[in-house]
Structures are given as structure tokens and as C-alpha cells.
Amino acid sequence: MAFHRHTGPSSYSVGTMSERFDCHYCRDSLQGKKYVQKEGRHCCVKCFEKICANTCIECKKPIGADSKELHFKNRYWHDSCFRCFKCYTSLVNEPFMLRENNKVWCSNCTATDEAPRCKGCFKPIIAGDQNVEYKKMVWHKDCFTCSQCKQVIGSGSFFPKGDEFYCVSCHEHKFAKTCAKCKNPITSGGLTYQEQPWHSECFICSNCKKQLGGKRFTAVEDQFYCVECYKECVAKKCAGCKNPITAGFGRGTSVVNYEDESWHDYCFKCTKCARGLANKRFVCHNGKIYCAECPKRL
């Protein structure tokens, strides 16, 4: 952006003729009359204004011999017409900008008109104003407010939703998922189990309280247990090997139950011949398990 200064009046002189001269155009005598000398020629005031005078680009009228003329790049103005198109301030001896339709603007109005417009109040954001920019849009800092609570977001954190913007608090209450355990909004991270959202810090082992996200666990009556705590506190003990039965955590995914006792499927075997009896006929004798053949040999 470049501002200019006009180059002053054109080169001609006005005076009263004392000698015998005739008007160059109408040939009337100029002796004792007011005349204008331009480009070496003498002419009466009437002919000057009709033939020689420049036309003011603003009011479209001739710039007479008695008027002050300003010119810039082959354009001419009466000094009284040389005003800012926007605020009408006189620009004589002031910097200006020549814009579309040969209109002159002062520096202040030019800066305001070309400034970006606030998306909130639609007024210009001029140099020095605090502002917020987002995706080629701009707001005055105090105009950038939450769509829900209307409080100023300014330079704080926010969440965009279409053409609306929300502060952190309003976004949490309006859009964030609610943790299945603590019922508070999940603002970041979190995990899902059986289509329910959880904070990572809420999805923990009921016994040792360690977080279970990304780890192996099991659920028992709405309680979650890591592998170690399940073995120690919840799992039934195998009547054969006396170790915890951790179905799904390793070898022995099937469990054999008989009366009040349980076995790993690979531990449920004949006491005498050690034949595996899972899903097979067996005999219980004196509290011990046998295949159908071995009791006959006792």
C-alpha cells in the first residue's frame, strides 16, 4: 500500500493586462482586463474557463482561473473537492490513496476499509487490536465467545462443532461421553468395554487397583480382575493339581465340575491309569475318580 501527495497547481499565471494584447481565442482586447497566460498564450478569463481550464474529476466542473487546482497523475481537483471519499476530510497537504473510480481516501479510512472483518461483530480489526484466528476466520478477542454459555473464550482452549465453538466446560457437558463408573465426562483418551465408555483410570482391577487398559483381565459379577488377582482371590482351585483354574488365561480353557469340586479338564483323569476323563464316563469311589474299567481291578 502506497500513499501519495499531490503535485500542486498547474503552471499558468493570472494578471491584469496593461499593454495592448488580444485574447488568443476570441480576439477581444485584454487591455485593462483580467487575463490568463498559459503555455505562452494570453486569453480572457471566459475563454480560459471554456477552452483551457482543466475539469475537476470530483465535481466535473471547470477549475477556474481564481480557483486553486490540485493535480495527480493527469487528474485534477478543486482544492475544496480534494477530500476523503469516506470521511470527507480535506486531503490538501495530507497523504492519500487513489482508489477505484478515481476516489481519494485518507490513510485512516484506507486502513479501516481494507482491514479484515470480525466474524462476530463484523467490524474491522485494525492494527493493534487483539484478535483470534481460526481457519482463515478472525474475531476480536472479546467477540470470540462460547456458543453455549456466551463467555469469552479469547485465547483459551475451545472445541469447534460445525460453525459453533464451545469452551472446554460446555463441550464436556454437551458432547463428551460419560464414564460408566464415575459418570463424569471423558474429555480425552478413555476406552470402551462392552460398548460402554470408561476413563482409563476408572477401568481398574477391583483388588489391586491397577489400570487394566491394554491388559488381560476377567469380569466376575461386574467386577474386573487382573490375571494375578483373579488367580489369588477369585478362581476356584483345581481338586487335582490344587492350582487356580483360570479359564481363558492359559492351558485348560475347559472346567470339569462334579459335586462341590472343580478340575482343569486336563487334571480330570483316572486315579489308577491316568486316562483323561473329561467328557467321558467315570466312577467316584471313596472320594477318588476312576475310569469305568479300573474299579473292577481294585
Side-chain angles (χ1 to χ4, degrees):
M1 183 186 297
F3 290 94
H4 312 283
R5 291 187 181 274
H6 56 76
T7 51
S10 299
S11 178
Y12 59 83
S13 60
V14 180
T16 301
M17 184 63 70
S18 60
E19 302 177 12
R20 173 67 187 181
F21 276 102
D22 295 336
C23 173
H24 176 77
Y25 297 100
C26 68
R27 313 312 298 175
D28 284 351
S29 174
L30 298 176
Q31 190 170 12
K33 297 180 181 179
K34 193 173 184 179
Y35 74 98
V36 180
Q37 182 177 353
K38 183 177 182 181
E39 297 175 353
R41 298 172 180 175
H42 301 82
C43 62
C44 64
V45 172
K46 184 177 180 181
C47 288
F48 173 81
E49 293 183 351
K50 183 178 180 180
I51 301 172
C52 302
N54 295 311
T55 300
C56 176
I57 200 169
E58 181 64 27
C59 70
K60 312 303 182 186
K61 296 179 181 179
I63 303 174
D66 293 329
S67 300
K68 290 184 179 179
E69 177 185 279
L70 303 176
H71 66 95
F72 176 74
K73 290 186 177 181
N74 296 321
R75 297 171 178 84
Y76 302 88
W77 293 264
H78 293 102
D79 65 341
S80 59
C81 292
F82 198 65
R83 295 178 175 275
C84 174
F85 172 73
K86 194 76 173 177
C87 68
Y88 305 109
T89 299
S90 174
L91 295 177
V92 177
N93 299 322
E94 297 294 335
F96 66 93
M97 172 71 74
L98 185 65
R99 301 182 65 180
E100 60 275 4
N101 299 322
N102 290 316
K103 300 299 182 181
V104 288
W105 292 58
C106 68
S107 56
N108 288 338
C109 289
T110 299
T112 300
D113 185 70
E114 294 184 348
R117 297 278 167 172
C118 173
K119 186 75 174 175
C121 68
F122 305 106
K123 294 180 180 179
I125 298 175
I126 60 176
D129 285 349
Q130 289 186 311
N131 62 80
V132 177
E133 293 186 31
Y134 177 73
K135 288 188 175 180
K136 297 182 179 180
M137 296 182 289
V138 62
W139 294 258
H140 291 107
K141 184 177 180 180
D142 290 342
C143 293
F144 190 59
T145 59
C146 174
S147 298
Q148 182 77 13
C149 67
K150 309 304 179 185
Q151 294 297 309
V152 174
I153 297 174
S155 57
S157 298
F158 65 92
F159 292 87
K161 284 287 183 180
D163 293 332
E164 297 183 326
F165 300 88
Y166 296 87
C167 64
V168 174
S169 178
C170 288
H171 182 268
E172 288 179 358
H173 288 91
K174 190 174 180 68
F175 299 105
K177 294 179 179 179
T178 301
C179 176
K181 182 176 181 180
C182 70
K183 309 304 179 186
N184 291 322
I186 301 173
T187 57
S188 63
L191 51 86
T192 301
Y193 174 69
Q194 292 187 343
E195 299 183 356
Q196 288 187 313
W198 299 71
H199 288 113
S200 297
E201 58 271 23
C202 290
F203 196 71
I204 58 176
C205 174
S206 296
N207 185 58
C208 68
K209 309 304 180 186
K210 291 181 180 178
Q211 293 187 20
L212 297 176
K215 299 179 181 179
R216 299 172 70 193
F217 69 93
T218 190
V220 180
E221 297 179 352
D222 297 328
Q223 298 295 314
F224 304 107
Y225 297 91
C226 64
V227 175
E228 296 303 319
C229 289
Y230 178 78
K231 290 179 180 180
E232 183 70 25
C233 306
V234 182
K236 294 180 180 180
K237 301 300 187 288
C238 175
C241 68
K242 309 305 179 184
N243 290 320
I245 301 174
T246 54
F249 290 134
R251 183 186 172 204
T253 56
S254 297
V255 180
V256 177
N257 294 303
Y258 177 68
E259 293 186 348
D260 293 331
E261 294 186 303
S262 300
W263 291 259
H264 296 108
D265 60 350
Y266 54 84
C267 291
F268 193 66
K269 54 191 177 183
C270 177
T271 304
K272 185 172 180 62
C273 68
R275 181 189 303 171
L277 298 176
N279 298 317
K280 297 179 181 179
R281 293 179 61 192
F282 65 92
V283 176
C284 184
H285 180 69
N286 293 330
K288 295 182 178 181
I289 303 299
Y290 296 93
C291 64
E293 301 299 325
C294 284
K296 300 176 182 178
R297 302 171 187 165
L298 294 176

